[in-house]
Amino acid sequence: MATPATDPFEIEVFRHLFASVAEEMGVTVQRSAHSPNIKERRDHSCAVFDADGRMIAQAAHIPVHLGSMPASVSAALETYEGKPPTPGDVLIVNDPYLGGTHLPDITTVSPVFVGSERQPTHWGWVATRAHHADVGGLAPGSMPPSTELYHEGLIIPPLKLVDAGTLDEQLVEIICRNVRTPEERRGDLEAQLASHRVGEARLAEFARRYGAEPLRERAAALLSYSERLARVRLRVVPDGTYSFTDYLDDDGAGGPPIPIKVTIQARSGRLRFDFTGTGPAAAGALNAPQAVTRSAVIYVARCLMGDDVPANDGATAPLEVIVPAGTVLNPPRPHAVAAGNVETSQRVVDVLWGALADALPDVAPAASQGTMNNLIIGGIDPRHDRAFTYYETIAGGAGAGPQVSGADAVQVAMTNTLNTPVEAMELAYPLAARRYEIRRGSGGNGRHRGGDGVIREIETLVPSVVTIVTERRLRRPWGAAGGASGASGINRGTVDGNERELPGKAALELAAGDVIRIETPGGGGWGASGGPDQPA
């Protein structure tokens, strides 16, 4: 007779039950948020954890957020120093060196209590991570061409934002006084807090329905099941050793390209990822905290497992990640990290697929655009006489695979956000969209073509500060199995009627009427041309 730990029907029911909590939390954040970055682009993620801080379930949100979130939750839990949490607590943290990604991503964590108000029982935790469009620092958007973490904005160690139900207004005021858009920040924080109330209430409801201990047993069974299934699915990788090296365009401060190397050892459903040989920590902001590197590994491993494997800590148990200290993938504090989360994580994914191409030639795709094409514009909006910060990651081409051509104009790999609709952008900011179209012909040729990138051209209607953080401007996304590379990206600015090409990382001031244009990379093609769906 099947037990809760082995009954596949029960496991599947509770898998979706726990995931529904995270999904409902995500809807609450999105609908309650003030900033277009969260409300329109959905740059946020939610997850559910057990009492020991193990992730039980997550929503279908952003890979780079979710893969690194357990480390932030662990850092937050350490603030209790072995003491039990209090009902009504909410912790806050954004420190990239404590499981964070970069400073704009603010994580909130709260304990979940079940049972009666007189005798509540601590059952687990819920967490939300949201990208705040500005957290201070040298430039609007908090992603400047920085050379140390302190340039990038306010650093928040694990602290109690809410203590036993009482909001720490002084902490909120400190946060708001250090940012350019305080009303928006307060509103987005309130949206995160609202999501915690929803998550806590929903888990408490499930505990009443099924019993707290049976619910705990189902969570543990789900973790065990995920680990068993993950080990089986990862046996698709033949035993052996596979390596690959790719490069970042530069170090973010005008320096040379930085190599990222991985060696993957596959043994009976376990994968060991060793990044020895990766270049040293960057002078600029391309450094990726170790939690970000691990999240990229988890993303690719999840692609190999299949989406029927529950996304939780059990599924990551067969993965070992080795990242030498002092490298661009495990930098020492206080190296700048703003671009590591958005750009370097994408290159890690490219490197992983490059290594797996030898092991799984019928599975591994060509390189996708390999960048998030970060565009940040800030200034003073005369309509309200207050600061604004527009932040966008711009879609590009997906790499083609052995079975299919790459998609055009999509967010790829470590980001899972939407675009900001033109109407929403023009309503919220003193900006005007001049072009927004597919960049035809930018995908690499091959038996299966790489996806095309996009062209996004924006006019600043007021004097503005613009920051561009992009990759794949010097090195094209590579093709696979004989496919051609995708086109590299191009950044352009039109100032006083004169157009000029801009570097991959740039900060500049634009006057009213100036234009910025981002042409994003295409994906690499797969297979030599001349196949059945790609004439030579």
Side-chain angles (χ1 to χ4, degrees):
M1 179 178 179
T3 67
T6 60
D7 187 326
F9 179 78
E10 275 210 10
I11 287 173
E12 193 67 12
V13 166
F14 281 91
R15 167 198 177 183
H16 289 285
L17 206 64
F18 290 125
S20 73
V21 177
E23 293 286 357
E24 189 174 356
M25 290 174 66
V27 170
T28 302
V29 174
Q30 184 251 327
R31 291 184 175 178
S32 305
H34 286 214
S35 67
N37 188 55
I38 299 174
K39 184 176 289 293
E40 301 289 349
R41 293 188 59 246
R42 303 186 187 181
D43 198 345
H44 65 274
S45 301
C46 301
V48 177
F49 297 77
D50 68 10
D52 296 323
R54 297 179 298 176
M55 183 189 286
I56 301 169
Q58 64 184 46
H61 290 156
I62 301 174
V64 76
H65 283 180
L66 293 163
S68 56
M69 190 184 287
S72 280
V73 171
S74 294
L77 269 54
E78 288 177 5
T79 63
Y80 286 104
E81 297 180 341
K83 300 176 183 177
T86 305
D89 286 354
V90 181
L91 303 165
I92 184 171
V93 61
N94 77 340
D95 191 333
Y97 290 92
L98 292 176
T101 47
H102 56 182
L103 294 178
D105 286 340
I106 295 180
T107 302
T108 47
V109 184
S110 67
V112 174
F113 284 84
V114 300
S116 67
E117 291 187 8
R118 290 186 177 182
Q119 290 185 315
T121 301
H122 177 219
W123 189 89
W125 307 84
V126 290
T128 297
R129 177 170 287 174
H131 183 113
H132 288 249
D134 186 271
V135 290
L138 291 179
S142 309
M143 294 179 62
S146 50
T147 56
E148 60 180 357
L149 185 64
Y150 308 115
H151 293 162
E152 298 175 351
L154 183 66
I155 305 168
I156 307 171
L159 298 170
K160 279 191 180 182
L161 178 63
V162 182
D163 188 357
T166 300
L167 179 67
D168 188 338
E169 291 286 358
Q170 289 184 324
L171 176 55
V172 174
E173 187 64 19
I174 289 172
I175 294 171
C176 290
R177 287 295 182 95
N178 281 276
V179 304
R180 295 170 178 84
T181 49
E183 297 88 355
E184 193 175 84
R185 298 290 65 73
R186 183 181 287 271
D188 287 349
L189 283 173
E190 289 174 350
Q192 288 185 257
L193 293 177
S195 78
H196 282 263
R197 290 191 289 271
V198 167
E200 293 162 18
R202 198 63 67 237
L203 285 168
E205 175 188 328
F206 292 156
R208 287 193 296 272
R209 183 186 305 175
Y210 302 104
E213 191 56 35
L215 192 65
R216 198 187 316 275
E217 291 172 357
R218 267 65 173 189
L222 180 60
L223 291 171
S224 297
Y225 169 77
S226 299
E227 180 176 352
R228 294 194 304 272
L229 187 55
R231 291 183 189 279
V232 171
R233 294 295 176 80
L234 290 177
R235 288 176 185 159
V236 68
V237 184
D239 286 359
T241 301
Y242 313 96
S243 295
F244 194 81
T245 302
D246 202 347
Y247 295 80
L248 295 167
D249 284 348
D250 53 54
D251 70 350
I258 297 179
I260 296 180
K261 178 180 179 180
V262 71
T263 299
I264 302 174
Q265 292 182 332
R267 295 289 185 274
S268 303
R270 292 188 62 87
L271 298 181
R272 184 175 186 263
F273 301 83
D274 187 346
F275 289 92
T276 299
T278 292
L286 270 296
N287 300 289
Q290 190 172 6
V292 169
T293 304
R294 179 173 172 79
S295 70
V297 169
I298 293 171
Y299 164 77
V300 171
R302 291 278 307 145
C303 290
L304 296 176
M305 294 176 197
D307 60 8
D308 61 329
V309 177
N312 56 40
D313 271 8
T316 68
L319 310 177
E320 181 184 1
V321 183
I322 299 171
V323 189
T327 63
V328 70
L329 303 182
N330 186 8
R333 185 189 292 270
H335 274 65
V337 299
N341 170 58
V342 289
E343 297 301 300
T344 307
S345 67
Q346 299 282 64
R347 190 65 68 259
V348 174
V349 170
D350 291 342
V351 169
L352 294 170
W353 283 126
L356 288 166
D358 287 340
L360 300 168
D362 295 331
V363 173
S368 294
Q369 68 159 337
T371 175
M372 295 192 197
N373 302 295
N374 302 268
L375 175 63
I376 306 148
I377 305 175
I380 301 297
D381 188 339
R383 298 173 298 178
H384 314 293
D385 193 28
R386 64 188 181 194
F388 75 93
T389 301
Y390 158 80
Y391 173 64
E392 179 101 53
T393 60
I394 305 175
Q403 308 300 327
V404 68
S405 294
D408 300 331
V410 293
Q411 302 278 359
V412 299
M414 299 307 289
T415 181
N416 190 31
T417 56
L418 303 178
N419 72 169
T420 302
V422 167
E423 300 84 352
M425 181 190 74
E426 294 184 338
L427 178 65
Y429 308 112
L431 303 171
R434 291 291 173 249
R435 293 177 69 185
Y436 192 26
E437 61 194 60
I438 294 177
R439 187 188 176 198
R440 299 295 182 186
S442 56
N445 287 323
R447 180 179 177 185
H448 298 142
R449 278 188 56 86
D452 286 335
V454 305
I455 299 173
R456 192 157 172 91
E457 186 174 281
I458 297 173
E459 178 184 349
T460 56
L461 303 181
V462 298
S464 303
V465 176
V466 177
T467 303
I468 302 169
V469 183
T470 61
E471 272 283 319
R472 290 294 191 201
R473 267 51 186 175
L474 302 179
R475 294 174 177 271
R476 301 169 66 179
W478 41 265
S485 298
S488 57
I490 304 172
N491 304 329
R492 302 183 189 275
T494 301
V495 182
D496 296 329
N498 299 311
E499 182 179 296
R500 61 188 175 96
E501 190 167 330
L502 302 171
K505 289 86 178 169
L508 62 157
E509 295 183 3
L510 298 185
D514 288 343
V515 174
I516 193 81
R517 182 164 84 245
I518 308 296
E519 301 181 18
T520 68
W526 191 95
S529 296
D533 63 341
Q534 179 59 50

